[in-house]
Amino acid sequence: QVQLQESGPGLVKPSKTLSLTCTVSGGSITTNFYYWTWIRQPPGKGLEWNGYIFYSGRTYRSPSLKSRTSISRDTSKNMVYLQMNSLKPEDAAVYYCAARNHPDYSLQARLYDNWGQGTRVTVSS
C-alpha cells in the first residue's frame, strides 16, 4: 500500500520560497502510470491542483501557478518536491501530495488512490 507523507516549514514569509517534500513509501515513484500530484486547499475553499510529476519524470504545472512553481523528484530517495517562490498570502493552504495510478491525469479527488495527511502552510511576516 502506497503511503504519502508531506513535510514542510509550516510558516513562510511573503515573497519567500516554499519547499515541500512528499515522502513516498510502499511503492516506487517510478512505477508505471503513477501521477504524483500536489493539491492544495486554502482556508474555506475547495481543492486546487498545483501540478504533478509523472512516473516518467514528465511534469505539469497549473497555468495559474506555473511561473512560480516547480515540481521535481529524487528517485533515489523516493521523494517528490514542490517549490513555490514569491509566496503570497493567498498561497496559504493545506498542501497535499496525492497519487493516481492510471494512464490519464484527473482533477477529480475521488479518482486519487492515495493521499498524504497534508501539511499546513501559513504565509505571514
Side-chain angles (χ1 to χ4, degrees):
Q1 175 75 355
V2 172
Q3 293 184 317
L4 311 172
Q5 179 65 59
E6 306 90 345
S7 58
L11 174 65
V12 182
K13 293 182 178 180
S15 80
K16 299 301 184 183
T17 297
L18 170 68
S19 295
L20 298 178
T21 299
C22 176
T23 301
V24 180
S25 59
S28 170
I29 62 173
T30 60
T31 299
N32 283 0
F33 302 120
Y34 261 98
Y35 287 91
W36 306 98
T37 305
W38 286 100
I39 301 165
R40 71 182 185 182
Q41 186 167 28
K45 297 185 178 181
L47 296 174
E48 299 177 355
W49 266 250
N50 296 51
Y52 66 76
I53 186 163
F54 201 31
Y55 77 100
S56 62
R58 185 185 81 221
T59 61
Y60 168 83
R61 294 161 290 162
S62 168
S64 63
L65 298 173
K66 186 175 183 178
S67 64
R68 300 192 291 124
T69 300
S70 66
I71 298 174
S72 59
R73 67 180 183 178
D74 186 328
T75 56
S76 67
K77 295 181 179 180
N78 221 38
M79 291 179 176
V80 175
Y81 307 105
L82 172 70
Q83 190 168 66
M84 185 179 297
N85 56 36
S86 303
L87 227 59
K88 307 172 184 180
E90 52 263 41
D91 293 317
V94 177
Y95 284 75
Y96 297 96
C97 179
R100 169 168 164 80
N101 185 212
H102 194 276
D104 300 326
Y105 184 50
S106 175
L107 298 178
Q108 297 185 62
R110 64 181 179 86
L111 297 181
Y112 280 76
D113 307 296
N114 309 95
W115 291 74
Q117 293 182 329
T119 184
R120 184 174 301 277
V121 174
T122 300
V123 182
S124 175
S125 55

mmCIF file of all heavy atoms in Angstrom, residues 2 12 21 40 42 46 54-55 71 74-75 84 86 111:
data_model
loop_
_atom_site.group_PDB
_atom_site.id
_atom_site.type_symbol
_atom_site.label_atom_id
_atom_site.label_comp_id
_atom_site.label_asym_id
_atom_site.label_seq_id
_atom_site.Cartn_x
_atom_site.Cartn_y
_atom_site.Cartn_z
ATOM 1 N N VAL A 2 0.661 2.085 -0.990
ATOM 2 C CA VAL A 2 1.436 3.321 -1.087
ATOM 3 C C VAL A 2 0.998 4.281 0.009
ATOM 4 O O VAL A 2 -0.194 4.488 0.239
ATOM 5 C CB VAL A 2 1.247 3.954 -2.470
ATOM 6 C CG1 VAL A 2 1.885 5.341 -2.513
ATOM 7 C CG2 VAL A 2 1.838 3.066 -3.556
ATOM 8 N N VAL A 12 5.857 30.538 6.279
ATOM 9 C CA VAL A 12 6.746 31.147 5.298
ATOM 10 C C VAL A 12 6.390 32.622 5.171
ATOM 11 O O VAL A 12 5.203 32.982 5.192
ATOM 12 C CB VAL A 12 6.612 30.458 3.916
ATOM 13 C CG1 VAL A 12 7.599 31.079 2.921
ATOM 14 C CG2 VAL A 12 6.860 28.966 4.025
ATOM 15 N N THR A 21 8.091 18.604 0.702
ATOM 16 C CA THR A 21 8.551 17.267 0.335
ATOM 17 C C THR A 21 7.426 16.281 0.543
ATOM 18 O O THR A 21 6.705 16.347 1.544
ATOM 19 C CB THR A 21 9.759 16.857 1.187
ATOM 20 O OG1 THR A 21 10.836 17.768 0.960
ATOM 21 C CG2 THR A 21 10.219 15.446 0.843
ATOM 22 N N ARG A 40 -3.723 21.625 -3.215
ATOM 23 C CA ARG A 40 -3.824 22.435 -2.010
ATOM 24 C C ARG A 40 -5.267 22.841 -1.749
ATOM 25 O O ARG A 40 -6.094 22.847 -2.661
ATOM 26 C CB ARG A 40 -2.929 23.666 -2.114
ATOM 27 C CG ARG A 40 -3.398 24.716 -3.108
ATOM 28 C CD ARG A 40 -2.407 25.869 -3.179
ATOM 29 N NE ARG A 40 -2.888 26.952 -4.040
ATOM 30 C CZ ARG A 40 -2.201 28.055 -4.299
ATOM 31 N NH1 ARG A 40 -0.983 28.231 -3.762
ATOM 32 N NH2 ARG A 40 -2.705 28.980 -5.084
ATOM 33 N N PRO A 42 -6.939 26.044 0.206
ATOM 34 C CA PRO A 42 -6.907 27.267 1.028
ATOM 35 C C PRO A 42 -8.035 27.242 2.056
ATOM 36 O O PRO A 42 -9.048 26.560 1.851
ATOM 37 C CB PRO A 42 -7.111 28.376 0.003
ATOM 38 C CG PRO A 42 -6.764 27.769 -1.311
ATOM 39 C CD PRO A 42 -7.154 26.335 -1.200
ATOM 40 N N GLY A 46 -12.167 25.294 -1.943
ATOM 41 C CA GLY A 46 -12.057 23.942 -2.477
ATOM 42 C C GLY A 46 -10.629 23.570 -2.830
ATOM 43 O O GLY A 46 -9.691 24.346 -2.641
ATOM 44 N N PHE A 54 4.894 12.873 -13.354
ATOM 45 C CA PHE A 54 4.509 11.549 -13.807
ATOM 46 C C PHE A 54 5.635 10.570 -13.490
ATOM 47 O O PHE A 54 6.789 10.987 -13.262
ATOM 48 C CB PHE A 54 4.232 11.613 -15.299
ATOM 49 C CG PHE A 54 3.385 10.524 -15.869
ATOM 50 C CD1 PHE A 54 2.389 9.912 -15.126
ATOM 51 C CD2 PHE A 54 3.570 10.115 -17.187
ATOM 52 C CE1 PHE A 54 1.596 8.927 -15.663
ATOM 53 C CE2 PHE A 54 2.778 9.119 -17.747
ATOM 54 C CZ PHE A 54 1.790 8.532 -16.981
ATOM 55 N N TYR A 55 5.333 9.272 -13.535
ATOM 56 C CA TYR A 55 6.347 8.273 -13.217
ATOM 57 C C TYR A 55 7.566 8.383 -14.139
ATOM 58 O O TYR A 55 8.687 8.052 -13.765
ATOM 59 C CB TYR A 55 5.749 6.866 -13.316
ATOM 60 C CG TYR A 55 5.579 6.370 -14.735
ATOM 61 C CD1 TYR A 55 6.519 5.499 -15.282
ATOM 62 C CD2 TYR A 55 4.520 6.779 -15.519
ATOM 63 C CE1 TYR A 55 6.386 5.043 -16.583
ATOM 64 C CE2 TYR A 55 4.381 6.335 -16.823
ATOM 65 C CZ TYR A 55 5.308 5.464 -17.357
ATOM 66 O OH TYR A 55 5.181 5.023 -18.650
ATOM 67 N N ILE A 71 8.083 21.359 -9.826
ATOM 68 C CA ILE A 71 7.847 20.039 -9.233
ATOM 69 C C ILE A 71 8.971 19.135 -9.695
ATOM 70 O O ILE A 71 9.286 19.073 -10.888
ATOM 71 C CB ILE A 71 6.482 19.475 -9.657
ATOM 72 C CG1 ILE A 71 5.367 20.399 -9.146
ATOM 73 C CG2 ILE A 71 6.278 18.062 -9.105
ATOM 74 C CD1 ILE A 71 3.976 20.020 -9.631
ATOM 75 N N ASP A 74 13.348 12.980 -6.448
ATOM 76 C CA ASP A 74 14.618 12.296 -6.231
ATOM 77 C C ASP A 74 14.283 10.817 -6.188
ATOM 78 O O ASP A 74 13.726 10.328 -5.195
ATOM 79 C CB ASP A 74 15.275 12.758 -4.933
ATOM 80 C CG ASP A 74 16.652 12.186 -4.742
ATOM 81 O OD1 ASP A 74 16.900 11.048 -5.187
ATOM 82 O OD2 ASP A 74 17.500 12.864 -4.111
ATOM 83 N N THR A 75 14.585 10.113 -7.245
ATOM 84 C CA THR A 75 14.199 8.705 -7.313
ATOM 85 C C THR A 75 14.992 7.863 -6.320
ATOM 86 O O THR A 75 14.497 6.831 -5.853
ATOM 87 C CB THR A 75 14.399 8.157 -8.727
ATOM 88 O OG1 THR A 75 15.754 8.371 -9.127
ATOM 89 C CG2 THR A 75 13.466 8.846 -9.718
ATOM 90 N N MET A 84 7.701 26.608 -4.528
ATOM 91 C CA MET A 84 6.918 27.745 -4.979
ATOM 92 C C MET A 84 7.591 29.020 -4.489
ATOM 93 O O MET A 84 7.843 29.164 -3.284
ATOM 94 C CB MET A 84 5.483 27.658 -4.444
ATOM 95 C CG MET A 84 4.548 28.732 -4.962
ATOM 96 S SD MET A 84 2.866 28.540 -4.304
ATOM 97 C CE MET A 84 2.440 26.954 -4.995
ATOM 98 N N SER A 86 8.157 33.431 -4.521
ATOM 99 C CA SER A 86 7.372 34.678 -4.432
ATOM 100 C C SER A 86 6.039 34.443 -3.743
ATOM 101 O O SER A 86 4.977 34.815 -4.255
ATOM 102 C CB SER A 86 7.166 35.260 -5.835
ATOM 103 O OG SER A 86 8.399 35.483 -6.471
ATOM 104 N N LEU A 111 -10.737 10.189 -7.641
ATOM 105 C CA LEU A 111 -10.003 9.268 -8.507
ATOM 106 C C LEU A 111 -8.545 9.098 -8.076
ATOM 107 O O LEU A 111 -7.792 8.407 -8.744
ATOM 108 C CB LEU A 111 -10.076 9.743 -9.955
ATOM 109 C CG LEU A 111 -11.486 9.767 -10.555
ATOM 110 C CD1 LEU A 111 -11.433 10.221 -12.008
ATOM 111 C CD2 LEU A 111 -12.140 8.389 -10.449
#
